[in-house]
Amino acid sequence: MADIAINPVDRRVQFTGNTGTGPFAFTFNIFADEDLAVYKNTTLLTLTTDYTVSINANGTGSITLVAPVVVSDVLTIIGGRELSRTTDFVTAGDLLAASLNEQLDSLVIMAQQLDEKMTRSFKVNPGDVFTDLEMPLLADRKGK
């Protein structure tokens, strides 16, 4: 894994009104091709089957589609890094700076992904008074 600074940018970019296969650039950092989720309209695309990824030295990059988008399509690229811990530090073992950097970078990326997801959710103003935010059942809210 490369030692890169994690940019404080949104982990989401959308393209509309474009045609062709790309490349479509993203400015947030990733470590591997699998760290992305790509949607054409509301359909999740599959890596290598539907698109390929090109990663720059600084972790930003672009995707290129196999099938072109048309003007009415919306292409969305978001961070899709798996929320997991890959390194376990053991007592009396080596504590390498590279391993620490990798884990801290991953934590920042995961926090940015969660922040991006939260920006797409319903929120309550901090000063609002509420007691329950549970949504009614589908049958009760249907058509409202």
Side-chain angles (χ1 to χ4, degrees):
M1 181 175 296
D3 187 17
I4 58 174
I6 305 301
N7 298 326
V9 297
D10 289 334
R11 299 190 67 75
R12 174 188 177 107
V13 62
Q14 284 189 306
F15 299 91
T16 58
N18 291 301
T19 58
T21 59
F24 298 97
F26 54 89
T27 59
F28 54 88
N29 310 96
I30 63 170
F31 295 125
D33 294 355
E34 297 80 14
D35 290 349
L36 294 176
V38 179
Y39 291 85
K40 182 178 178 182
N41 301 313
T42 58
T43 302
L44 178 62
L45 302 181
T46 303
L47 179 61
T48 66
T49 302
D50 299 314
Y51 67 95
T52 58
V53 179
S54 175
I55 305 174
N56 300 323
N58 67 354
T60 63
S62 62
I63 65 134
T64 302
L65 299 172
V66 172
V69 291
V70 296
V71 173
S72 60
D73 287 331
V74 176
L75 183 70
T76 305
I77 305 170
I78 60 174
R81 185 167 181 83
E82 183 178 296
L83 302 182
S84 66
R85 183 171 173 202
T86 58
T87 302
D88 192 22
F89 301 106
V90 296
T91 304
D94 291 335
L95 188 60
L96 303 174
S99 296
L100 286 172
N101 280 331
E102 176 183 337
Q103 287 303 297
L104 292 171
D105 288 348
S106 290
L107 286 171
V108 170
I109 286 172
M110 288 182 254
Q112 287 176 337
Q113 284 179 188
L114 291 170
D115 185 56
E116 185 278 326
K117 186 180 276 189
M118 292 299 295
T119 62
R120 293 184 279 121
S121 65
F122 289 107
K123 298 179 207 156
V124 175
N125 184 290
D128 195 7
V129 177
F130 65 93
T131 57
D132 184 15
L133 292 178
E134 186 175 340
M135 290 185 67
L137 296 174
L138 176 62
D140 295 333
R141 67 178 192 269
K142 201 172 207 177
K144 296 180 182 177

